[in-house]
Amino acid sequence: MTQRTATVASSSGLHARPAKLFVKAVQEKGIPVTIAAGDGPDLNAASILSLMGLAASKGTVVTLKSEAPGAEVALDELVVLLETDLDAE
């Protein structure tokens, strides 16, 4: 199991455009990834509905997990994405 934490940087949290961009990036990785806010349940990070169900706002700490081989690089890239204000791009 590979695990990473990240702090959501987008001004609107993981809603609308940031959520869509993150889900697209997860799907492009081609590996199963889960995401959880705090000690909440693990949700499917490739699903826009699951991701928006986190109700994550700017500053929310989330945990990414994957059991896929070679997940380290993918999760590191997703952390960078989460810690970038996707609304500002």
Side-chain angles (χ1 to χ4, degrees):
M1 170 74 69
T2 302
Q3 182 171 311
R4 299 286 188 271
T5 58
T7 303
V8 176
S10 290
S11 56
S12 63
L14 289 178
H15 298 283
R17 183 169 177 272
K20 290 177 183 174
L21 290 172
F22 184 73
V23 165
K24 181 179 177 186
V26 172
Q27 291 171 338
E28 288 173 351
K29 301 300 176 197
I31 62 172
V33 175
T34 60
I35 186 169
D39 58 356
D42 291 347
L43 300 173
N44 177 4
S47 164
I48 188 82
L49 294 177
S50 291
L51 195 64
M52 293 179 75
L54 283 173
S57 57
K58 183 174 182 177
T60 298
V61 176
V62 297
T63 302
L64 299 171
K65 298 178 188 175
S66 180
E67 294 185 3
E72 295 84 359
V73 172
L75 292 189
D76 288 342
E77 291 174 1
L78 293 171
V79 165
V80 171
L81 191 64
L82 284 170
E83 294 189 338
T84 300
D85 187 350
L86 297 173
D87 286 322
E89 293 186 351

XYZ file of all heavy atoms in Angstrom:
629
model
N 0.849 -1.194 0.000
C 0.000 0.000 0.000
C 0.885 1.245 0.000
O 1.767 1.387 0.839
C -0.894 -0.001 1.239
C -1.648 1.289 1.480
S -3.023 1.571 0.358
C -4.154 0.312 0.866
N 0.651 2.104 -0.971
C 1.339 3.390 -1.034
C 0.375 4.459 -0.570
O -0.803 4.441 -0.934
C 1.796 3.689 -2.474
O 2.655 2.644 -2.911
C 2.539 5.001 -2.552
N 0.859 5.378 0.240
C -0.009 6.399 0.811
C 0.688 7.748 0.783
O 1.884 7.844 1.021
C -0.344 6.007 2.251
C -1.275 6.935 2.976
C -1.705 6.347 4.313
O -2.128 5.192 4.394
N -1.584 7.140 5.367
N -0.069 8.792 0.470
C 0.442 10.162 0.472
C -0.618 11.084 1.062
O -1.815 10.841 0.915
C 0.755 10.643 -0.957
C 1.811 9.850 -1.689
C 3.210 10.163 -1.163
N 4.239 9.544 -1.987
C 4.725 8.323 -1.814
N 4.252 7.563 -0.847
N 5.692 7.862 -2.581
N -0.195 12.159 1.717
C -1.131 13.184 2.165
C -0.887 14.455 1.362
O 0.223 14.703 0.891
C -0.986 13.492 3.670
O 0.349 13.912 3.934
C -1.331 12.279 4.509
N -1.944 15.240 1.208
C -1.850 16.498 0.476
C -2.830 17.488 1.082
O -3.824 17.100 1.693
C -2.177 16.279 -0.999
N -2.531 18.762 0.928
C -3.425 19.818 1.384
C -4.057 20.478 0.175
O -3.352 20.962 -0.718
C -2.654 20.870 2.211
O -2.017 20.218 3.311
C -3.599 21.946 2.733
N -5.375 20.481 0.129
C -6.094 21.046 -1.009
C -5.810 22.547 -1.109
O -5.973 23.293 -0.142
C -7.612 20.808 -0.869
C -8.378 21.480 -1.998
C -7.902 19.317 -0.841
N -5.365 22.978 -2.294
C -4.979 24.377 -2.473
C -6.013 25.203 -3.222
O -6.004 26.424 -3.129
C -3.654 24.454 -3.223
N -6.894 24.548 -3.973
C -7.831 25.308 -4.804
C -8.774 26.141 -3.953
O -9.291 25.676 -2.936
C -8.639 24.372 -5.692
O -7.814 23.813 -6.675
N -9.012 27.354 -4.404
C -9.849 28.282 -3.648
C -11.264 27.765 -3.469
O -11.934 28.104 -2.497
C -9.862 29.651 -4.324
O -10.286 29.537 -5.668
N -11.735 26.930 -4.407
C -13.087 26.371 -4.268
C -13.051 24.927 -3.788
O -14.041 24.206 -3.890
C -13.829 26.456 -5.600
O -13.182 25.674 -6.579
N -11.914 24.501 -3.244
C -11.815 23.127 -2.759
C -11.886 22.139 -3.907
O -11.449 22.430 -5.013
N -12.424 20.953 -3.655
C -12.532 19.942 -4.704
C -13.958 19.930 -5.257
O -14.716 18.983 -5.087
C -12.136 18.568 -4.167
C -10.652 18.429 -3.884
C -10.339 17.049 -3.317
C -9.840 18.663 -5.146
N -14.317 21.022 -5.891
C -15.640 21.163 -6.486
C -15.488 21.700 -7.901
O -14.506 22.350 -8.234
C -16.512 22.104 -5.649
C -16.733 21.590 -4.274
N -17.629 20.582 -3.992
C -16.138 21.886 -3.100
C -17.589 20.308 -2.706
N -16.689 21.073 -2.136
N -16.472 21.410 -8.726
C -16.531 21.929 -10.093
C -15.232 21.663 -10.861
O -14.824 20.524 -11.002
C -16.880 23.410 -10.076
N -14.584 22.710 -11.355
C -13.430 22.531 -12.227
C -12.274 21.786 -11.546
O -11.700 20.865 -12.141
C -12.960 23.885 -12.757
C -11.809 23.763 -13.739
C -11.556 25.083 -14.447
N -10.418 24.957 -15.330
C -9.162 25.163 -14.958
N -8.884 25.496 -13.710
N -8.172 25.017 -15.816
N -11.877 22.138 -10.324
C -10.779 21.390 -9.694
C -11.070 19.902 -9.585
O -10.203 19.068 -9.826
C -10.651 22.042 -8.310
C -11.196 23.403 -8.484
C -12.307 23.275 -9.481
N -12.308 19.560 -9.214
C -12.663 18.145 -9.079
C -12.577 17.438 -10.425
O -12.050 16.327 -10.528
C -14.062 17.998 -8.487
N -13.076 18.085 -11.470
C -13.047 17.467 -12.800
C -11.618 17.250 -13.276
O -11.291 16.199 -13.845
C -13.820 18.326 -13.793
C -15.320 18.305 -13.557
C -16.046 19.232 -14.510
C -17.529 19.261 -14.210
N -18.237 20.252 -15.027
N -10.754 18.234 -13.054
C -9.356 18.101 -13.471
C -8.652 16.997 -12.690
O -7.857 16.233 -13.243
C -8.621 19.430 -13.292
C -9.015 20.544 -14.256
C -8.355 21.864 -13.854
C -8.638 20.193 -15.683
N -8.950 16.893 -11.396
C -8.312 15.862 -10.585
C -8.789 14.474 -10.990
O -7.980 13.552 -11.134
C -8.589 16.112 -9.101
C -7.882 15.127 -8.209
C -6.522 15.197 -8.004
C -8.585 14.102 -7.593
C -5.867 14.272 -7.198
C -7.947 13.176 -6.788
C -6.580 13.273 -6.592
N -10.096 14.321 -11.192
C -10.642 13.029 -11.617
C -10.031 12.613 -12.952
O -9.653 11.451 -13.142
C -12.179 13.088 -11.701
C -12.730 11.898 -12.470
C -12.775 13.131 -10.306
N -9.915 13.543 -13.879
C -9.311 13.245 -15.186
C -7.880 12.754 -15.013
O -7.459 11.774 -15.638
C -9.339 14.488 -16.075
C -8.758 14.266 -17.455
C -8.836 15.522 -18.294
C -8.193 15.300 -19.652
N -8.130 16.545 -20.441
N -7.122 13.412 -14.134
C -5.733 13.015 -13.903
C -5.658 11.619 -13.295
O -4.806 10.813 -13.670
C -5.040 14.026 -12.986
N -6.555 11.310 -12.359
C -6.580 9.978 -11.740
C -6.882 8.923 -12.799
O -6.221 7.880 -12.867
C -7.620 9.924 -10.598
C -7.782 8.491 -10.104
C -7.204 10.827 -9.456
N -7.865 9.194 -13.641
C -8.236 8.233 -14.683
C -7.083 8.005 -15.654
O -6.847 6.885 -16.104
C -9.484 8.725 -15.403
C -10.719 8.677 -14.530
C -11.925 9.362 -15.155
O -11.785 10.213 -16.026
N -13.108 9.012 -14.699
N -6.335 9.065 -15.963
C -5.209 8.946 -16.890
C -4.082 8.096 -16.311
O -3.311 7.493 -17.053
C -4.692 10.334 -17.271
C -5.627 11.080 -18.200
C -5.204 12.518 -18.454
O -4.270 13.007 -17.781
O -5.826 13.166 -19.323
N -3.981 8.044 -14.976
C -2.931 7.224 -14.344
C -3.194 5.743 -14.573
O -2.278 4.936 -14.580
C -2.843 7.499 -12.839
C -2.542 8.935 -12.465
C -1.237 9.413 -13.023
C -1.029 10.892 -12.715
N -0.003 11.492 -13.558
N -4.466 5.380 -14.716
C -4.811 3.996 -14.997
C -4.632 3.044 -13.834
O -4.547 1.836 -14.018
N -4.551 3.576 -12.624
C -4.444 2.715 -11.438
C -5.540 3.107 -10.447
O -5.955 4.265 -10.407
C -3.065 2.823 -10.749
C -2.803 4.243 -10.248
C -1.956 2.367 -11.670
C -1.563 4.388 -9.403
N -6.025 2.157 -9.651
C -7.041 2.494 -8.656
C -6.447 3.341 -7.537
O -5.400 3.004 -6.978
C -7.512 1.133 -8.133
C -6.429 0.181 -8.487
C -5.708 0.731 -9.679
N -7.095 4.462 -7.251
C -6.654 5.369 -6.197
C -7.856 5.713 -5.341
O -8.943 5.965 -5.861
C -6.062 6.671 -6.798
C -5.708 7.666 -5.697
C -4.842 6.378 -7.660
N -7.669 5.715 -4.028
C -8.724 6.175 -3.134
C -8.273 7.464 -2.470
O -7.079 7.757 -2.380
C -9.074 5.130 -2.060
O -7.916 4.854 -1.267
C -9.584 3.840 -2.686
N -9.256 8.239 -2.020
C -8.974 9.502 -1.348
C -9.892 9.626 -0.146
O -11.047 9.197 -0.192
C -9.150 10.692 -2.325
C -8.729 12.003 -1.686
C -10.573 10.748 -2.877
C -8.631 13.163 -2.666
N -9.372 10.179 0.939
C -10.171 10.377 2.150
C -9.788 11.709 2.781
O -8.628 12.120 2.723
C -9.941 9.250 3.144
N -10.761 12.378 3.352
C -10.504 13.610 4.090
C -10.447 13.276 5.573
O -11.359 12.642 6.106
C -11.599 14.635 3.825
N -9.360 13.677 6.219
C -9.209 13.372 7.638
C -9.256 11.874 7.874
O -8.614 11.105 7.173
N -10.059 11.461 8.840
C -10.193 10.029 9.127
C -11.469 9.478 8.508
O -12.010 8.469 8.960
C -10.149 9.763 10.633
C -11.238 10.510 11.388
O -11.982 11.281 10.760
O -11.336 10.321 12.617
N -11.957 10.150 7.456
C -13.173 9.708 6.781
C -12.942 8.456 5.955
O -11.816 7.966 5.839
N -14.005 7.940 5.360
C -13.895 6.707 4.570
C -13.135 6.930 3.268
O -13.101 8.042 2.730
C -15.354 6.347 4.283
C -16.076 7.659 4.334
C -15.370 8.476 5.379
N -12.497 5.881 2.782
C -11.811 5.941 1.496
C -12.843 5.983 0.376
O -13.749 5.157 0.321
C -10.914 4.712 1.302
C -9.712 4.711 2.232
O -9.434 5.764 2.841
O -9.059 3.674 2.360
N -12.696 6.941 -0.531
C -13.612 7.097 -1.657
C -12.868 6.876 -2.962
O -11.650 7.063 -3.035
C -14.229 8.502 -1.646
C -15.031 8.868 -0.395
C -15.435 10.335 -0.438
C -16.263 7.988 -0.262
N -13.589 6.525 -3.999
C -13.011 6.298 -5.317
C -12.572 7.631 -5.915
O -13.397 8.474 -6.256
C -14.057 5.624 -6.214
C -13.568 5.416 -7.631
O -12.421 5.699 -7.962
N -14.441 4.905 -8.471
N -11.262 7.837 -6.073
C -10.752 9.114 -6.556
C -10.972 9.309 -8.046
O -10.742 10.391 -8.572
C -9.265 9.241 -6.229
N -11.426 8.271 -8.758
C -11.685 8.400 -10.188
C -13.141 8.771 -10.465
O -13.548 8.856 -11.613
C -11.335 7.108 -10.913
N -13.916 9.021 -9.415
C -15.334 9.353 -9.564
C -15.583 10.790 -9.134
O -15.296 11.173 -7.998
C -16.188 8.412 -8.719
O -17.490 8.919 -8.564
N -16.123 11.588 -10.036
C -16.413 12.987 -9.715
C -17.381 13.101 -8.554
O -17.239 13.963 -7.683
C -16.946 13.734 -10.960
C -17.059 15.225 -10.700
C -18.268 13.169 -11.436
C -15.785 15.976 -10.846
N -18.363 12.192 -8.474
C -19.346 12.264 -7.395
C -18.713 11.918 -6.055
O -18.986 12.571 -5.046
C -20.532 11.346 -7.693
C -21.383 11.755 -8.889
C -22.488 10.714 -9.125
C -21.980 13.136 -8.698
N -17.848 10.889 -6.041
C -17.166 10.542 -4.796
C -16.273 11.684 -4.338
O -16.251 12.049 -3.160
C -16.315 9.281 -4.987
O -17.135 8.154 -5.163
N -15.546 12.251 -5.296
C -14.601 13.315 -4.959
C -15.322 14.529 -4.394
O -14.925 15.086 -3.372
C -13.805 13.701 -6.204
C -12.553 14.527 -5.957
C -11.546 13.723 -5.151
C -11.934 14.942 -7.261
N -16.425 14.922 -5.027
C -17.167 16.074 -4.535
C -17.868 15.750 -3.218
O -18.153 16.643 -2.422
C -18.142 16.554 -5.600
C -17.417 17.120 -6.813
S -18.502 17.685 -8.147
C -19.107 19.216 -7.446
N -18.082 14.463 -2.966
C -18.663 14.045 -1.699
C -17.746 14.260 -0.511
O -18.188 14.208 0.635
N -16.469 14.503 -0.781
C -15.532 14.813 0.305
C -15.868 16.143 0.958
O -15.510 16.379 2.109
C -14.100 14.917 -0.229
C -13.344 13.647 -0.550
C -12.016 14.000 -1.213
C -13.110 12.824 0.694
N -16.511 17.041 0.205
C -16.780 18.404 0.673
C -15.486 19.074 1.121
O -15.458 19.838 2.082
C -17.816 18.397 1.799
N -14.398 18.770 0.416
C -13.101 19.339 0.776
C -13.031 20.799 0.360
O -13.409 21.163 -0.743
C -11.986 18.556 0.105
N -12.561 21.634 1.266
C -12.372 23.047 0.969
C -10.880 23.360 1.005
O -10.064 22.486 1.314
C -13.121 23.909 1.982
O -12.691 23.599 3.292
N -10.520 24.578 0.660
C -9.107 24.956 0.682
C -8.548 24.708 2.076
O -9.143 25.089 3.082
C -8.957 26.436 0.312
C -7.517 26.888 0.249
C -7.402 28.316 -0.258
C -5.943 28.708 -0.359
N -5.804 30.072 -0.919
N -7.412 24.027 2.140
C -6.781 23.732 3.419
C -7.117 22.363 3.985
O -6.510 21.940 4.968
N -8.080 21.656 3.371
C -8.422 20.303 3.827
C -7.264 19.351 3.529
O -6.724 19.342 2.433
C -9.684 19.789 3.108
O -10.783 20.642 3.420
C -10.015 18.359 3.544
N -6.874 18.574 4.526
C -5.828 17.571 4.333
C -6.492 16.271 3.902
O -7.419 15.793 4.561
C -5.003 17.352 5.613
C -3.986 16.229 5.417
C -4.309 18.640 6.023
N -6.043 15.737 2.781
C -6.591 14.486 2.269
C -5.485 13.440 2.163
O -4.303 13.777 2.078
C -7.265 14.684 0.887
C -8.454 15.627 1.005
C -6.281 15.170 -0.146
N -5.892 12.173 2.181
C -4.960 11.063 2.053
C -5.270 10.286 0.787
O -6.424 9.933 0.548
C -5.067 10.113 3.267
O -4.810 10.859 4.461
C -4.053 8.978 3.158
N -4.255 10.063 -0.020
C -4.371 9.257 -1.234
C -3.751 7.903 -0.968
O -2.676 7.818 -0.357
C -3.634 9.929 -2.393
C -4.117 11.310 -2.809
C -3.155 11.926 -3.808
C -5.505 11.228 -3.402
N -4.399 6.838 -1.443
C -3.865 5.489 -1.261
C -4.007 4.686 -2.547
O -4.958 4.885 -3.300
C -4.621 4.743 -0.154
C -4.529 5.354 1.219
C -5.363 4.555 2.200
C -5.455 5.230 3.551
N -6.360 4.496 4.456
N -3.066 3.776 -2.758
C -3.166 2.844 -3.872
C -2.353 1.601 -3.561
O -1.288 1.684 -2.941
C -2.653 3.480 -5.169
O -2.770 2.556 -6.235
N -2.877 0.461 -3.993
C -2.155 -0.800 -3.839
C -1.508 -1.222 -5.149
O -0.905 -2.289 -5.228
C -3.110 -1.891 -3.352
C -3.640 -1.638 -1.951
C -4.488 -2.786 -1.425
O -4.623 -3.801 -2.126
O -5.007 -2.656 -0.314
N -1.623 -0.400 -6.176
C -1.084 -0.760 -7.492
C 0.441 -0.700 -7.505
O 1.040 0.159 -6.859
C -1.640 0.180 -8.556
N 1.084 -1.598 -8.244
C 2.537 -1.532 -8.392
C 2.936 -0.215 -9.045
O 2.272 0.260 -9.957
C 2.856 -2.716 -9.321
C 1.666 -3.611 -9.258
C 0.493 -2.734 -8.967
N 4.002 0.379 -8.554
C 4.488 1.620 -9.133
C 3.623 2.827 -8.833
O 3.704 3.842 -9.526
N 2.809 2.751 -7.799
C 1.885 3.845 -7.482
C 2.586 5.082 -6.934
O 2.019 6.170 -6.942
C 0.837 3.366 -6.481
N 3.817 4.925 -6.486
C 4.515 6.041 -5.846
C 4.556 7.276 -6.741
O 4.220 8.379 -6.310
C 5.948 5.642 -5.457
C 6.033 4.566 -4.393
C 5.928 3.152 -4.953
O 5.768 2.998 -6.192
O 5.993 2.201 -4.162
N 4.983 7.093 -7.983
C 5.117 8.225 -8.905
C 3.755 8.846 -9.192
O 3.594 10.071 -9.176
C 5.804 7.797 -10.220
C 5.766 8.915 -11.244
C 7.235 7.369 -9.946
N 2.755 8.003 -9.442
C 1.418 8.507 -9.739
C 0.860 9.316 -8.577
O 0.314 10.404 -8.763
C 0.479 7.351 -10.081
N 1.004 8.806 -7.359
C 0.482 9.522 -6.204
C 1.243 10.819 -5.972
O 0.645 11.835 -5.602
C 0.525 8.644 -4.952
C -0.421 7.442 -4.932
C -0.420 6.794 -3.553
C -1.823 7.803 -5.350
N 2.551 10.804 -6.185
C 3.331 12.042 -6.045
C 2.839 13.107 -7.021
O 2.720 14.289 -6.672
C 4.821 11.776 -6.273
C 5.464 11.008 -5.124
O 4.875 10.977 -4.023
O 6.551 10.441 -5.335
N 2.524 12.699 -8.249
C 2.018 13.643 -9.254
C 0.636 14.162 -8.864
O 0.325 15.343 -9.067
C 1.982 12.977 -10.622
C 3.363 12.704 -11.192
C 3.333 11.912 -12.493
O 2.224 11.583 -12.969
O 4.416 11.638 -13.026
N -0.183 13.301 -8.289
C -1.518 13.725 -7.864
C -1.440 14.679 -6.674
O -2.240 15.612 -6.566
C -2.378 12.505 -7.530
C -2.736 11.621 -8.724
C -3.400 10.330 -8.251
C -3.623 12.357 -9.717
N -0.470 14.465 -5.793
C -0.265 15.379 -4.667
C 0.069 16.772 -5.181
O -0.486 17.780 -4.713
C 0.842 14.854 -3.727
C 1.306 15.967 -2.773
C 0.351 13.660 -2.935
N 0.955 16.852 -6.158
C 1.315 18.151 -6.745
C 0.079 18.828 -7.306
O -0.134 20.035 -7.124
C 2.402 17.978 -7.829
C 2.605 19.274 -8.593
C 3.710 17.515 -7.210
N -0.766 18.044 -7.978
C -1.987 18.600 -8.556
C -2.908 19.148 -7.464
O -3.440 20.258 -7.577
C -2.707 17.522 -9.375
C -3.854 17.970 -10.258
C -3.356 18.924 -11.355
C -4.536 16.775 -10.885
N -3.087 18.399 -6.397
C -3.959 18.835 -5.310
C -3.417 20.079 -4.611
O -4.180 20.910 -4.123
C -4.128 17.718 -4.274
C -5.060 16.581 -4.645
C -4.937 15.452 -3.636
C -6.492 17.057 -4.728
N -2.091 20.186 -4.544
C -1.486 21.311 -3.837
C -1.253 22.515 -4.749
O -0.562 23.456 -4.372
C -0.195 20.840 -3.150
C -0.511 19.826 -2.054
C 0.670 19.458 -1.166
O 1.816 19.642 -1.607
O 0.426 18.992 -0.044
N -1.872 22.469 -5.940
C -1.852 23.597 -6.878
C -3.260 24.170 -6.933
O -4.242 23.420 -6.947
C -1.456 23.105 -8.293
O -0.153 22.520 -8.217
C -1.445 24.242 -9.295
N -3.377 25.494 -6.956
C -4.706 26.101 -7.039
C -5.208 25.943 -8.478
O -4.867 26.729 -9.356
C -4.668 27.568 -6.645
C -6.055 28.185 -6.557
O -7.023 27.514 -6.994
O -6.187 29.312 -6.064
N -5.992 24.907 -8.704
C -6.456 24.601 -10.058
C -7.421 25.657 -10.592
O -7.624 25.739 -11.802
C -7.126 23.214 -10.072
C -6.196 22.055 -9.714
C -6.976 20.767 -9.595
C -5.088 21.918 -10.732
N -7.996 26.459 -9.719
C -8.868 27.536 -10.188
C -8.059 28.673 -10.796
O -8.570 29.455 -11.582
C -9.694 28.104 -9.034
C -10.799 27.160 -8.614
O -11.400 26.529 -9.509
O -11.058 27.042 -7.414
N -6.795 28.782 -10.408
C -5.974 29.913 -10.833
C -5.333 29.681 -12.199
O -4.729 30.584 -12.757
C -4.888 30.176 -9.793
N -5.462 28.464 -12.731
C -4.790 28.161 -13.998
C -5.681 28.493 -15.183
O -6.869 28.478 -15.099
C -4.406 26.685 -14.031
C -3.350 26.375 -12.995
C -2.848 24.950 -13.115
O -3.416 24.150 -13.884
O -1.881 24.638 -12.428
